[in-house]
Amino acid sequence: MTKQPVIGTIIIGVLVVLQALWALAVAFEIPIINRFDSTQILIVTLLAIALLLIIIALWPKSAKKEEPLQYAPVSEADAAAGITSRREDIVADLRWIDPSSALTVPITTGGQATVLVNPQSLAIRTAATNVDIGTDLGLTWLRQYGGENIYVSQGLTDPAQALLTVNASTTSLTVRSR
């Protein structure tokens, strides 16, 4: 929620209360109020309310920071289907996955992808220009193949040996274990 409608609502509420108090003062014929023309006061307050409504409607809204899309697949089939987002950042939690056979998880986004994984038997393929891999994972760069950099867990000499492969198509990739 932005602050503009709240402030505008308060101001309009105050104007309506003042207008109602003015109407009560006119109805009870309070002498100080009879000096002013009631019709003019009514028109001025209605115009002020209308002007405030227009200003509030046209006031630029503050940009809301989008939360990253959270992805934690519930099955290996869901993980194999992967996740795609056009613009949003993605946080993919794959730490629970301990596949019995080779599993590839595709992650595609126009934003930043953060992948949470266990470092055992892991391979990551990405063409991302900005890659930040946690030092605690022990992943090493293996080679570049088809425009993608390939990172593997310690002890692996070929990405085909990995039980879990993450194919990350993103501009920026962060890989962490927690």
Side-chain angles (χ1 to χ4, degrees), residues 33-55:
I33 301 298
N34 290 333
R35 290 188 212 163
F36 303 103
D37 184 17
S38 301
T39 307
Q40 288 178 349
I41 297 296
L42 177 65
I43 290 171
V44 167
T45 55
L46 287 176
L47 287 175
I49 290 172
L51 181 64
L52 278 172
L53 286 173
I54 290 170
I55 290 171

Side-chain angles (χ1 to χ4, degrees), residues 149-162:
N149 287 307
I150 300 173
Y151 302 88
V152 293
S153 296
Q154 291 178 351
L156 297 181
T157 56
D158 185 12
Q161 296 172 323

Side-chain angles (χ1 to χ4, degrees), residues 103-121:
L103 176 66
T104 299
V105 180
I107 299 172
T108 305
T109 181
Q112 178 180 345
T114 301
V115 181
L116 305 172
V117 291
N118 291 324
Q120 298 83 13
S121 191

Side-chain angles (χ1 to χ4, degrees), residues 54-132:
I54 290 170
I55 290 171
I56 292 166
L58 297 177
W59 194 273
K61 306 291 186 254
S62 60
K64 185 175 112 176
K65 184 178 179 190
E66 293 184 12
E67 291 293 319
L69 184 60
Q70 301 288 328
Y71 173 64
V74 294
S75 68
E76 287 188 21
D78 290 338
I83 184 171
T84 301
S85 174
R86 193 174 280 170
R87 296 175 313 193
E88 286 185 83
D89 293 344
I90 291 177
V91 175
D93 188 355
L94 307 176
R95 293 176 292 187
W96 66 272
I97 295 178
D98 189 17
S100 54
S101 60
L103 176 66
T104 299
V105 180
I107 299 172
T108 305
T109 181
Q112 178 180 345
T114 301
V115 181
L116 305 172
V117 291
N118 291 324
Q120 298 83 13
S121 191
L122 173 68
I124 297 175
R125 296 175 180 265
T126 184
T129 55
N130 182 16
V131 178
D132 178 19

